[in-house]
Amino acid sequence: MSAVVERAAYVHPAALVEGAIGAGTRVWAFAHVMRDAVVGRDCNICDHAFIESGARVGDGVTVKNGAMIWEGVTIGDGVFVGPGVAFTNDLTPRSARLAGLNRSHDGWLTPTMVQEGASIGGGAVIVAGVTIGAYALVAAGAVVTRDVPPHALVKGNPARRSGWVCRCGAKLHIASGNTICADCGATYIISDEGVVAWQRP
Amino acid sequence: MSAVVERAAYVHPAALVEGAIGAGTRVWAFAHVMRDAVVGRDCNICDHAFIESGARVGDGVTVKNGAMIWEGVTIGDGVFVGPGVAFTNDLTPRSARLAGLNRSHDGWLTPTMVQEGASIGGGAVIVAGVTIGAYALVAAGAVVTRDVPPHALVKGNPARRSGWVCRCGAKLHIASGNTICADCGATYIISDEGVVAWQRP
Amino acid sequence: MSAVVERAAYVHPAALVEGAIGAGTRVWAFAHVMRDAVVGRDCNICDHAFIESGARVGDGVTVKNGAMIWEGVTIGDGVFVGPGVAFTNDLTPRSARLAGLNRSHDGWLTPTMVQEGASIGGGAVIVAGVTIGAYALVAAGAVVTRDVPPHALVKGNPARRSGWVCRCGAKLHIASGNTICADCGATYIISDEGVVAWQRP
């Protein structure tokens, strides 16, 4: 429970914080931030969350209850990681004591990136090696097996794109072209490849 | 660990109970019942479960390990919430520090209802806004995205109805008409819309 | 926190170990091994994992964070249980206080077996009653509803077979016939029913 804690961070008495957490970050009961994990400022690390040595979490990130972030996973600023979200970091996991085969352990770690402002719904599973683009929305229960473009909404197992979402989180009601978010008024230009441009309301 | 605890409740020394729990309710290790959560009588709140301020849990409810029940979620009497079940309460989650857009936070909370006697299998994900009907059975690993009728069995991602179940939990072996539960002997009349009538054995 | 612990086991101060754990086994923060659970040697039981009374875990097993292993579940030697994996042990779960119907509780417990060297990816759900064969690989997020043959790779909800994997974990790039693992050099003979023979590199 030793910790590198800047001013104004909060650590619940039943949490374990051994890594570095930024100013204004709160860590709640039964959560565990391991040594050599890095968590930015103004984050909310909820009950039973786990952040492993080597994981990197940006500023203003919400890690909901029971979510697990491993070595090799990088979480950008302002990301929402929903309850029970399971990241992975090994595409061919075997228990360490297995076998005695020739398998090299070099290169077992497959990195994953979640870009700024993205949201990952509750119970989603993120297979190692993907990039989840900025402001994307992974639906609750989705199993993400390949890259998610910025602003994409993906759902299902395996997760497939079913639309685009605004920075504010609301669904945009077109597949391509120019549109205005009905919720916040931001404007977007969308092509077949994704969001080309946007403007604040 | 202060608590409003009636007679005969049990709180494990490693649990945190800050809300109200009814007589006969047991709360196990590393579980957390927050302040302003309400949990009824004779419930079993298992290890690592989390019940948030504002959540309401009826009498005789089983909340298995690691299940998470949020503000806005109401759990009826006699419900079974399986291990690792993730409820949600926000259809467009974004981390609070995001953006500075016009998005209003009014109305972000989308309520969910689980009616009397329903069961939710392990690892299921419940998208905010649905009602799970009385005595329904959500299969393990299902992702529930719309209402589940009473007595329905639903499974898959997204969850779809694949039959009907008895109050006792056993599958009823007809799609519609009159039937007797092979397990407990209760009788049912089922129409295309669901269970019309039933009688104890 | 009393425990039957052999030499060289390690129990984190925030773990609860009431059952028997073998030499060299490590149990990490907020994990709980219940009384009458049996865990073998050289296992790694990670944060927030739960092993219930009556569960049996072999030697050299990795149980990643938040995984839950119940009475009726048997885990063979060298198995990898990924983060957040939810086993189940009751096909028709109802909260204990329900009903007062005729339903007998005899036979509610449906056993599950995971054979030597198998791996179960993060967030997978295992429906009670299945056998997961030796060296099989259950993909992250899969929902396993029927038996998995030895060396099979299964994925999706419900999980279906999409290939074969080597003892070392790598995918074998044929559906049937003779092949050499590109990663470790082991050789296999595969028929329509699965792996018939193999040889170390």
Side-chain angles (χ1 to χ4, degrees):
Chain A
M1 285 204 219
S2 70
V4 179
V5 178
E6 298 183 16
R7 66 176 165 73
Y10 172 75
V11 177
H12 189 285
L16 294 173
V17 175
E18 298 146 356
I21 62 172
T25 286
R26 295 162 291 160
V27 183
W28 296 98
F30 310 125
H32 191 177
V33 178
M34 289 188 74
R35 189 167 36 113
D36 299 324
V38 176
V39 175
R41 292 165 175 260
D42 299 317
C43 292
N44 194 20
I45 312 297
C46 300
D47 282 45
H48 306 105
F50 180 78
I51 302 181
E52 193 177 42
S53 302
R56 301 188 71 85
V57 174
D59 297 333
V61 171
T62 299
V63 178
K64 289 292 288 180
N65 304 50
M68 296 169 285
I69 301 177
W70 314 109
E71 181 185 3
V73 177
T74 303
I75 306 288
D77 294 343
V79 165
F80 176 92
V81 179
V85 167
F87 285 92
T88 61
N89 65 3
D90 185 349
L91 292 170
T92 57
R94 290 298 196 201
S95 189
R97 295 281 173 166
L98 188 68
L101 294 178
N102 283 342
R103 187 196 189 198
S104 166
H105 280 279
D106 298 349
W108 70 269
L109 184 69
T110 301
T112 295
M113 165 73 70
V114 184
Q115 294 178 335
E116 177 188 353
S119 295
I120 304 175
V125 174
I126 313 299
V127 174
V130 303
T131 293
I132 296 175
Y135 305 103
L137 178 53
V138 174
V143 178
V144 177
T145 61
R146 50 186 174 180
D147 290 351
V148 175
H151 289 275
L153 167 63
V154 299
K155 57 186 176 184
N157 179 358
R160 298 186 198 284
R161 187 167 64 77
S162 74
W164 303 104
V165 293
C166 178
R167 280 197 177 209
C168 79
K171 189 166 181 180
L172 299 171
H173 293 290
I174 58 161
S176 72
N178 297 355
T179 191
I180 298 176
C181 174
D183 276 35
C184 79
T187 54
Y188 287 86
I189 304 175
I190 299 175
S191 79
D192 289 349
E193 276 89 55
V195 169
V196 175
W198 84 290
Q199 197 168 7
R200 286 181 189 282
Chain B
M1 284 205 219
S2 68
V4 179
V5 178
E6 298 184 16
R7 67 175 164 72
Y10 171 75
V11 177
H12 189 284
L16 295 173
V17 175
E18 299 145 356
I21 63 173
T25 286
R26 295 162 292 160
V27 182
W28 297 98
F30 310 124
H32 191 176
V33 179
M34 290 188 74
R35 189 166 37 111
D36 299 325
V38 177
V39 175
R41 291 163 176 261
D42 299 318
C43 292
N44 195 20
I45 312 297
C46 301
D47 282 46
H48 305 107
F50 181 79
I51 302 180
E52 192 177 43
S53 301
R56 301 189 72 84
V57 174
D59 297 333
V61 171
T62 299
V63 178
K64 289 291 288 181
N65 304 50
M68 296 168 285
I69 301 177
W70 314 110
E71 180 186 3
V73 177
T74 303
I75 305 289
D77 294 343
V79 165
F80 176 92
V81 179
V85 167
F87 285 92
T88 60
N89 66 4
D90 184 351
L91 292 169
T92 57
R94 290 296 195 202
S95 189
R97 295 280 172 167
L98 188 67
L101 294 177
N102 283 341
R103 188 196 190 197
S104 166
H105 279 278
D106 298 350
W108 70 268
L109 184 70
T110 302
T112 296
M113 166 71 71
V114 184
Q115 293 178 337
E116 177 188 353
S119 295
I120 304 175
V125 174
I126 314 299
V127 174
V130 303
T131 293
I132 297 175
Y135 305 103
L137 177 54
V138 174
V143 178
V144 176
T145 60
R146 49 187 176 181
D147 289 352
V148 176
H151 289 274
L153 167 62
V154 299
K155 57 186 177 184
N157 179 359
R160 300 184 197 283
R161 188 166 65 76
S162 73
W164 303 103
V165 293
C166 178
R167 281 197 175 208
C168 79
K171 189 165 182 181
L172 298 171
H173 294 289
I174 58 160
S176 71
N178 298 354
T179 191
I180 298 176
C181 174
D183 275 35
C184 79
T187 54
Y188 288 86
I189 304 174
I190 299 174
S191 79
D192 289 347
E193 276 89 56
V195 169
V196 175
W198 84 290
Q199 196 167 9
R200 286 181 188 280
Chain C
M1 287 205 216
S2 70
V4 178
V5 178
E6 298 183 16
R7 68 175 163 74
Y10 171 76
V11 177
H12 189 284
L16 296 172
V17 175
E18 299 145 357
I21 63 173
T25 286
R26 296 162 291 160
V27 182
W28 298 98
F30 310 125
H32 192 176
V33 179
M34 290 189 74
R35 189 166 36 111
D36 299 324
V38 176
V39 176
R41 292 164 175 259
D42 299 317
C43 292
N44 195 21
I45 312 296
C46 300
D47 282 44
H48 306 106
F50 180 79
I51 301 181
E52 193 177 42
S53 301
R56 301 188 72 84
V57 174
D59 297 333
V61 171
T62 299
V63 178
K64 289 292 289 180
N65 304 50
M68 296 168 285
I69 301 177
W70 314 110
E71 181 186 3
V73 178
T74 303
I75 305 289
D77 295 343
V79 165
F80 176 92
V81 180
V85 167
F87 285 92
T88 60
N89 66 5
D90 184 350
L91 292 169
T92 57
R94 290 297 196 203
S95 190
R97 296 282 174 166
L98 189 68
L101 295 177
N102 283 343
R103 187 196 191 201
S104 166
H105 280 278
D106 298 349
W108 70 269
L109 184 70
T110 301
T112 296
M113 165 72 70
V114 184
Q115 294 178 336
E116 176 189 353
S119 295
I120 304 175
V125 174
I126 314 299
V127 174
V130 303
T131 294
I132 296 175
Y135 305 101
L137 177 54
V138 174
V143 178
V144 177
T145 60
R146 51 187 174 179
D147 290 352
V148 175
H151 288 274
L153 167 63
V154 300
K155 56 187 177 184
N157 180 358
R160 298 186 198 283
R161 188 167 65 77
S162 74
W164 303 103
V165 293
C166 179
R167 281 198 176 208
C168 79
K171 190 165 180 181
L172 298 171
H173 294 289
I174 59 161
S176 72
N178 297 355
T179 191
I180 298 176
C181 174
D183 275 36
C184 78
T187 54
Y188 287 86
I189 304 175
I190 300 175
S191 79
D192 288 349
E193 276 89 55
V195 168
V196 176
W198 84 290
Q199 197 168 6
R200 287 182 188 280

